[in-house]
Amino acid sequence: MEQKRERLGSRLGFILLSAGCAIGCGNVWKFPWMTGQNGGGAFVLLYIFCLLLLGLPVMTMEFAVGRAAQASPVKMYQKLEKKGQVWHIHGWMALIGNIALMAFYTVVTGWMFNYFVQFATGNSADLTFVGMITNPTVNVVYLAVVVVLGFFILSFNLQGGLEKVTKIMMILLLVLMIILGIRSATLPGAAEGLSFYLIPDFSKITGSTVVAAMNQAFFTLSVGMGSMAIFGSYIDKEKSLLGESVNVICLDTLVAILAGFIMFPACASYGLEVDAGPSLLFNTMATVFNKMEGGRIWGSLFFLFMIFAAMSTVLAVFENILAMVRELTGWDRKKGCIVCAIGIFLLALTTALGFSVFTFQPFAEGSAWLDFWDFIVSTNILPLGSLCFAVFCTWEFGWGWKNFVKEANEGSGLKVKDWMKPIFKFVVPVVVIVLYIYGITTFQWR
């Protein structure tokens, strides 16, 4: 017997949950260091452009497919595709993508927990990024904390667990970010950092910068691997989906922009490099707070908000994986949580121990398991999955434009218009294909 599909309790819950899936390490860990490495303000403009041109259409289409099918990605295509078609293969790729994302995202979230604990207990003076990632005990213990905490929350029903916790975390996250942004912008010399961040230097734009902006837009929105389709399947038809997508993207972009307001003025104020890469948030911000008056309190608050941001995504993606596994097996929520927790923990050990015990260099010198999993997700599954949604929703050999528009426009709010069809049907697929091919051919394999 098919299980009755769970529902979210409110529209606010849906918006905050979808935004919570989008908002996370992609906004407050990856976006600042990608901005720092790709020229500052020019990258920010490209990123926003990619959000509007590519992210908004794909998110709307993904919501629509999920709401129409009332199923997770592993089952939704079977309900919408025509007999004999193989669109459902993408559903399996979506499951793989969500699992691959958690294979490194849970470890990065554990790093946030570690830094929060060190600042809260006053032990941050000798804290270093390299020292942390090469410590097997720290990585495994905090990975376990993230996985157990996440699936414990999900073991309750949808409204009592995931929706309630996400609402609280998202509201606290926004409050903390505004406070920290104001504090950082008032530091001595902050203007130089704001100038780098807000004033574009178009001479720094290259083909690789554009590809990075597209991949970052897809990564930060979590579109292309069925995450938004899951939440689309949990809501009713009172609101049209283009308007809901705009709400989610606005919240997501606000958090990313606020993260830059926190980080770049602080870097300028203390003379720190903005192009440090993945270690930017950890090494740079630890240095900032250790030098700042009242730094222990500010540092604790900063990494607490990092935990909220990261856990909102962890919970949402855990729910995606859980929903797909439960549809395939028929397990109840608690059994599914136990099995999924064990599986993800074991897989994520590759990243947790990838800088110490399980050394692996998949690409250029210095790459590790984290880069391997990120390559699978960010470079491949997200853009190719977005391409799949775009073609499926707009071409007659898929679901088709008429069916998509009918579902997307159900309810009150912003509607998908006929003049948008060329953007959804031609511009999005062509841009994604061109940038994907360019990205693969210029990727630093060795």
Side-chain angles (χ1 to χ4, degrees):
M1 181 181 293
E2 189 171 335
Q3 296 175 331
K4 182 180 179 182
R5 193 146 195 87
E6 293 178 274
R7 292 286 179 196
L8 294 169
S10 67
R11 181 187 175 212
L12 177 63
F14 162 70
I15 292 173
L16 291 179
L17 183 56
S18 300
C21 184
I23 294 167
C25 294
N27 302 74
V28 291
W29 169 60
K30 195 172 183 180
F31 174 73
W33 69 256
M34 290 287 284
T35 301
Q37 287 192 331
N38 287 280
F43 177 81
V44 175
L45 279 183
L46 281 174
Y47 166 72
I48 293 173
F49 179 74
C50 287
L51 286 177
L52 295 175
L53 180 68
L54 304 175
L56 180 57
V58 173
M59 179 173 282
T60 305
M61 290 186 276
E62 193 168 331
F63 277 148
V65 171
R67 193 170 71 172
Q70 290 293 291
S72 74
V74 292
K75 294 288 187 179
M76 67 188 181
Y77 282 111
Q78 285 93 325
K79 293 190 175 185
L80 301 179
E81 68 185 0
K82 298 176 179 68
K83 187 176 180 179
Q85 293 184 326
V86 293
W87 291 99
H88 57 271
I89 293 174
H90 176 232
W92 290 99
M93 294 306 297
L95 175 58
I96 292 170
N98 278 274
I99 293 171
L101 176 62
M102 289 297 100
F104 72 92
Y105 206 102
T106 48
V107 177
V108 176
T109 304
W111 297 344
M112 314 297 180
F113 272 94
N114 178 50
Y115 264 63
F116 168 71
V117 169
Q118 299 306 317
F119 269 95
T121 57
N123 296 313
S124 61
D126 298 321
L127 199 57
T128 65
F129 181 69
V130 172
M132 175 183 65
I133 65 174
T134 55
N135 187 321
T137 303
V138 167
N139 280 267
V140 173
V141 167
Y142 283 107
L143 166 62
V145 168
V146 171
V147 173
V148 171
L149 177 62
F151 279 108
F152 173 74
I153 292 171
L154 293 185
S155 67
F156 299 93
N157 63 51
L158 193 64
Q159 292 182 26
L162 179 60
E163 184 176 359
K164 181 181 292 185
V165 171
T166 301
K167 277 183 180 179
I168 296 170
M169 286 200 308
M170 291 300 298
I171 292 168
L172 288 175
L173 167 64
L174 291 171
V175 171
L176 280 174
M177 290 199 76
I178 292 170
I179 292 171
L180 288 164
I182 293 172
R183 178 68 184 98
S184 186
T186 56
L187 290 171
E192 182 182 342
L194 289 173
S195 176
F196 168 80
Y197 182 48
L198 298 177
I199 300 176
D201 180 355
F202 294 106
S203 66
K204 295 183 178 180
I205 294 179
T206 64
S208 297
T209 308
V210 179
V211 172
M214 179 190 74
N215 288 344
Q216 177 61 21
F218 288 150
F219 184 87
T220 192
L221 293 180
S222 298
V223 292
M225 59 182 188
S227 300
M228 295 301 154
I230 294 275
F231 302 129
S233 74
Y234 287 152
I235 58 170
D236 54 36
K237 303 197 177 189
E238 290 183 2
K239 294 290 180 179
S240 61
L241 296 175
L242 181 62
E244 301 298 74
S245 298
V246 169
N247 290 331
V248 172
I249 288 176
C250 285
L251 264 178
D252 177 77
T253 307
L254 172 64
V255 171
I257 298 300
L258 280 174
F261 273 105
I262 294 170
M263 227 160 288
F264 292 111
C267 288
S269 180
Y270 291 98
L272 301 169
E273 296 297 325
V274 297
D275 58 353
S279 66
L280 173 66
L281 181 140
F282 296 97
N283 278 345
T284 299
M285 297 314 293
T287 302
V288 167
F289 294 127
N290 283 329
K291 291 181 178 181
M292 183 186 294
E293 186 177 347
R296 177 178 173 182
I297 295 173
W298 289 110
S300 299
L301 284 174
F302 177 79
F303 286 104
L304 178 62
F305 110 70
M306 285 299 310
I307 290 173
F308 288 156
M311 282 303 295
S312 66
T313 299
V314 167
L315 287 170
V317 179
F318 277 2
E319 174 63 27
N320 299 338
I321 296 169
L322 179 62
M324 287 187 265
V325 169
R326 289 180 66 202
E327 282 194 1
L328 290 170
T329 61
W331 291 339
D332 62 26
R333 183 168 280 272
K334 286 184 170 56
K335 182 177 180 179
C337 282
I338 293 171
V339 175
C340 289
I342 293 171
I344 289 173
F345 174 78
L346 293 175
L347 189 64
L349 285 176
T350 56
T351 304
L353 301 175
F355 299 95
S356 53
V357 180
F358 297 151
T359 54
F360 172 52
Q361 184 174 290
F363 309 121
E365 186 176 351
S367 60
W369 274 104
L370 186 152
D371 303 283
F372 172 75
W373 294 120
D374 187 41
F375 172 78
I376 289 176
V377 176
S378 301
T379 308
N380 291 283
I381 289 181
L382 293 180
L384 292 178
S386 297
L387 174 64
C388 189
F389 277 118
V391 175
F392 180 70
C393 287
T394 59
W395 290 81
E396 291 309 310
F397 55 82
W399 191 29
W401 177 256
K402 289 182 180 179
N403 289 324
F404 157 65
V405 171
K406 181 181 177 182
E407 180 63 44
N409 288 347
E410 192 86 30
S412 61
L414 291 176
K415 309 291 186 183
V416 177
K417 304 294 185 181
D418 286 339
W419 65 263
M420 299 178 185
K421 185 175 181 179
I423 298 174
F424 283 64
K425 187 172 184 177
F426 300 109
V427 175
V428 172
V430 169
V431 171
V432 171
I433 290 170
V434 170
L435 292 182
Y436 175 76
I437 293 173
Y438 183 88
I440 288 293
T441 55
T442 58
F443 187 81
Q444 291 187 340
W445 297 100
R446 288 295 175 188

